[in-house]
Amino acid sequence: MHALTGKTKNRMFIGTLIIMVIMICTFTITVNGMTRDNTAEQQQYYDALESDYLTRIDCVLQEYDLYYSGINMTRISAEDGSRSYSVRIHNSRVEKLGEERMGRLLEALQTISFGDPMVMITYEL
């Protein structure tokens, strides 16, 4: 048997080190890619929920004769992944509803389900 020389040991060490670096990089790229795909999928999910929710808000507003209202829905995303929304209704006729009818409108808006029970929504009329 041949004894390994210093140069051979160094080459084996460097070769092993290169293989380990390649494996670590491959694993890291795979995990990051999975996270990005999951995030994109999650964004599509919430985009669909938001679109549906805005449509239902518009239907409620039309029941109160608030046609052509502007609806501004601001998303607030926390670091933990939770979401909340602030919804502002723009229509000059909102002020003319009267206090009682405006209260009923707000109740009707708050009964609309977003589709994700963890999402909190606040309204500003």
Side-chain angles (χ1 to χ4, degrees):
M1 285 209 173
H2 295 277
L4 296 177
T5 63
K7 284 184 178 182
T8 306
K9 286 182 183 179
N10 285 342
R11 286 182 184 159
M12 287 179 61
F13 176 75
I14 291 172
T16 303
L17 190 61
I18 289 172
I19 290 171
M20 288 177 61
V21 167
I22 290 171
M23 288 173 47
I24 290 170
C25 288
T26 303
F27 177 74
T28 303
I29 290 169
T30 302
V31 169
N32 286 339
M34 289 170 53
T35 302
R36 261 186 252 114
D37 289 344
N38 189 21
T39 302
E41 187 176 297
Q42 184 178 18
Q43 185 61 42
Q44 286 179 340
Y45 169 75
Y46 279 105
D47 285 348
L49 288 179
E50 291 168 10
S51 178
D52 182 54
Y53 191 72
L54 287 170
T55 300
R56 289 189 276 147
I57 288 174
D58 192 46
C59 288
V60 169
L61 293 173
Q62 288 181 26
E63 290 174 14
Y64 284 81
D65 297 324
L66 298 171
Y67 299 96
Y68 309 111
S69 296
I71 305 169
N72 183 345
M73 189 163 139
T74 304
R75 176 181 50 232
I76 301 132
S77 300
E79 287 183 22
D80 65 358
S82 65
R83 290 175 178 234
S84 61
Y85 294 88
S86 174
V87 177
R88 182 173 169 94
I89 309 297
H90 301 276
N91 191 315
S92 60
R93 289 188 238 147
V94 170
E95 298 169 4
K96 299 173 186 171
L97 286 176
E99 203 171 304
E100 182 182 326
R101 195 147 188 239
M102 193 181 299
R104 283 186 291 185
L105 171 60
L106 189 56
E107 286 177 15
L109 290 170
Q110 290 172 338
T111 61
I112 301 172
S113 172
F114 182 77
D116 183 341
M118 301 306 292
V119 170
M120 187 170 93
I121 299 176
T122 57
Y123 291 92
E124 189 176 335
L125 300 177

